[in-house]
Amino acid sequence: MKVLLTGLGGPSGEVVACLPERGFTILRGQRIDQLRSLGHRPDVILLACEGIDDAALIHCERLRAFSEAPIVATVRHTTVQAWMRGRAAGIDDFLVTPFGLDELVARLWVAVGPARRPGAAPGSTHIVYGPLRVAEQSRAVFVHGTRVELRPKEYQLLVVLARRAGQALSREHLISRLWPAGGDRAERSLEVQVAALRSKLAVPGLIATVRGVGYRLISQESYLSLEQD
């Protein structure tokens, strides 16, 4: 399991020493240009910072352009408002110092999901969200238990949205993931793929448009509210 150590403060020596003993391979990178030159993509990112301030949020947004891996942040202080801003920027979990090494390792394993934990069955990676189930090993998609056939780009778009379910993803981010070469037609192509995906999934409101930003898979709480309306 590869963990990227990055941030504005840097983890303690104790943290760095314990991770290899717990099954993690450490990748390092403070600057985004260093991250892009890494030979391996991380499975989880450990972001060390003083607090969730503007500098940390900018760094987090740049990380999100580099990787979809879950982010666990260690902070010296935080507030509810800062926590919410961090979640919106793509941080999956927080640890406030001081914390135990066992707790840190447990949070990292929780962040990567049960299919990546020691002892998980091969090929068991899947995403379950509301009525949606995506079996990544077989690239099969089910809605309310019924299989839905998707074209490759539709599937790629769904997986990017589902891995960050509940979070708004910018059009620029989605385009960079689906059409790395860019191009004048990429924006229109994204709209076409979103429309096709909505039609095939046939779950009203599941993929929400975030005005001025992009799209998000609605939170499970929102889906339950939608079902009750």
Side-chain angles (χ1 to χ4, degrees):
M1 184 66 62
K2 298 183 290 293
V3 56
L4 171 65
L5 305 183
T6 186
L8 308 177
S12 69
E14 190 178 13
V15 167
V16 174
C18 93
L19 291 178
E21 298 174 355
R22 307 295 184 93
F24 292 92
T25 299
I26 293 178
L27 307 175
R28 293 177 178 273
Q30 295 295 326
R31 303 194 310 271
I32 300 302
D33 59 338
Q34 291 176 327
L35 301 181
R36 295 188 187 281
S37 67
L38 288 173
H40 302 283
R41 292 281 178 164
D43 297 301
V44 63
I45 298 171
L46 183 59
L47 171 65
C49 50
E50 288 289 324
I52 308 302
D53 54 15
D54 289 342
L57 292 174
I58 290 171
H59 190 73
C60 184
E61 289 171 358
R62 290 174 176 170
L63 283 172
R64 274 284 155 256
F66 157 75
S67 174
E68 287 294 321
I71 297 175
V72 177
T74 62
V75 298
R76 295 185 181 279
H77 55 81
T78 190
T79 64
V80 173
Q81 292 77 13
W83 183 87
M84 292 176 65
R85 291 179 69 196
R87 288 285 295 176
I91 297 176
D92 297 88
D93 199 2
F94 294 84
L95 275 170
V96 179
T97 56
F99 51 81
L101 296 179
D102 288 341
E103 182 180 6
L104 170 63
V105 170
R107 296 289 189 95
L108 292 174
W109 282 118
V110 168
V112 299
R116 302 300 306 277
R117 294 175 202 163
S124 61
T125 304
H126 63 280
I127 302 169
V128 178
Y129 196 76
L132 176 69
R133 182 165 68 88
V134 181
E136 293 192 83
Q137 184 74 12
S138 61
R139 298 174 69 90
V141 176
F142 301 85
V143 176
H144 295 298
T146 300
R147 184 160 182 167
V148 178
E149 297 297 334
L150 300 180
R151 293 179 179 274
K153 284 295 183 186
E154 296 164 357
Y155 174 81
Q156 292 172 28
L157 173 61
L158 177 61
V159 168
V160 172
L161 289 169
R163 285 177 177 170
R164 310 301 306 168
Q167 297 182 12
L169 300 182
S170 70
R171 291 180 177 84
E172 293 77 10
H173 176 74
L174 294 171
I175 288 171
S176 71
R177 299 292 295 178
L178 273 68
W179 297 277
D184 295 337
R185 298 184 180 180
E187 179 79 22
R188 177 57 182 162
S189 296
L190 175 61
E191 294 176 2
V192 170
Q193 297 300 329
V194 168
L197 188 56
R198 283 170 168 164
S199 176
K200 290 185 177 182
L201 295 179
V203 181
L206 181 62
I207 300 176
T209 299
V210 182
R211 191 177 301 276
V213 179
Y215 303 95
R216 70 182 174 98
L217 213 63
I218 65 172
S219 66
Q220 196 151 353
E221 291 79 5
S222 297
Y223 174 76
L224 293 173
S225 298
L226 181 66
E227 287 286 275
Q228 294 170 356
D229 288 344

